[in-house]
Amino acid sequence: RARDRLPSLGSAVVARLFFALWPDEPARRALAGLAGRMAVEAGGRPVPAANLHLTLAFLGEVPDERVGTACAVAADVRAGAFDLVLDRTGTFRRAGVAWAGPSVLPAELDRLQSALESGLRAAGFALDARPFAPQLTLARRTVKPSPEAATAPVAWRVGRFALVRSARDKGAYAELAGWELGKED
Ligand code: 2AM
């Protein structure tokens, strides 16, 4: 039963990682409701409530030995807490996803994401070249486009960000570490 054994520890052990913001519980409930409605409208599957997040930086497959470096970059990021208001929805036809996003990019979110991205690049992580466009995926495998539109705002106070591991096979996420925003040291 070799599959039940841990792979040998070393650089061969990799995990799919990303930095993200989690909604607070009221926002999560509101987004889960929105995800259900968007899934119906766009003909897809809602993202499970526990998985709802907004990605700051996608690292892809990262060897175990590099996780500490990613954490050190995150610990150096200086940004304040901020209110995030998701008040737009739409779909990406090619990706087959429905999303929610902010009509206004909070300055501190921009600061947080830029600092994280530049720190990660400086540390040798290869990130997506596309400019940051904050979006929270609500539904996947959508088949009908839904025009971008205003929606009842879902807001929460963002006071931390997290490094998350995606277990692709299980469809679940595990937080590896989190950092507070607006804490001076
Ligand atoms: P998605 O929600 O738009 O699919 C975990 O997979 C997170 O990382 C998801 O939020 C996912 O975005 C994002 N992600 C996956 N692959 C990515 C890529 N190649 N570039 C940017 N983000 C990616």
Side-chain angles (χ1 to χ4, degrees):
R1 313 240 355 249
R3 272 178 54 105
D4 292 341
R5 254 178 260 138
L6 280 173
S8 64
L9 293 168
S11 60
V13 183
V14 295
R16 193 168 195 245
L17 303 184
F18 58 97
F19 284 97
L21 306 178
W22 298 119
D24 67 11
E25 281 312 310
R28 192 183 290 282
R29 280 193 294 276
L31 290 167
L34 186 56
R37 294 192 294 278
M38 286 298 286
V40 169
E41 185 177 326
R45 296 192 169 189
V47 171
N51 286 359
L52 292 164
H53 68 277
L54 188 143
T55 301
L56 296 171
F58 180 71
L59 301 180
E61 301 289 336
V62 175
D64 256 10
E65 62 196 16
R66 295 277 288 153
V67 173
T69 306
C71 289
V73 168
D76 273 347
V77 167
R78 291 289 167 268
F82 56 92
D83 293 312
L84 183 60
V85 182
L86 304 183
D87 57 358
R88 308 284 299 171
T89 55
T91 51
F92 291 135
R93 200 176 53 83
R94 252 193 277 172
V97 300
W99 52 266
S103 56
V104 177
L105 174 67
E108 288 302 310
L109 171 55
D110 191 32
R111 211 171 134 92
L112 164 62
Q113 197 279 333
S114 307
L116 192 56
E117 183 173 322
S118 61
L120 290 167
R121 283 191 204 284
F125 290 94
L127 304 178
D128 200 326
R130 284 174 300 177
F132 177 57
Q135 258 120 23
L136 182 148
T137 296
L138 293 169
R140 299 189 187 277
R141 294 163 66 182
T142 59
V143 293
K144 285 182 276 181
S146 164
E148 187 176 332
T151 191
V154 178
W156 74 98
R157 181 83 180 159
V158 178
R160 70 193 285 278
F161 67 104
L163 178 62
V164 183
R165 183 181 61 210
S166 161
R168 226 181 314 198
D169 48 336
K170 297 195 190 102
Y173 297 140
E175 181 174 313
L176 300 182
W179 295 268
E180 303 286 316
L181 294 170
K183 293 267 157 72
E184 290 307 320
D185 53 12

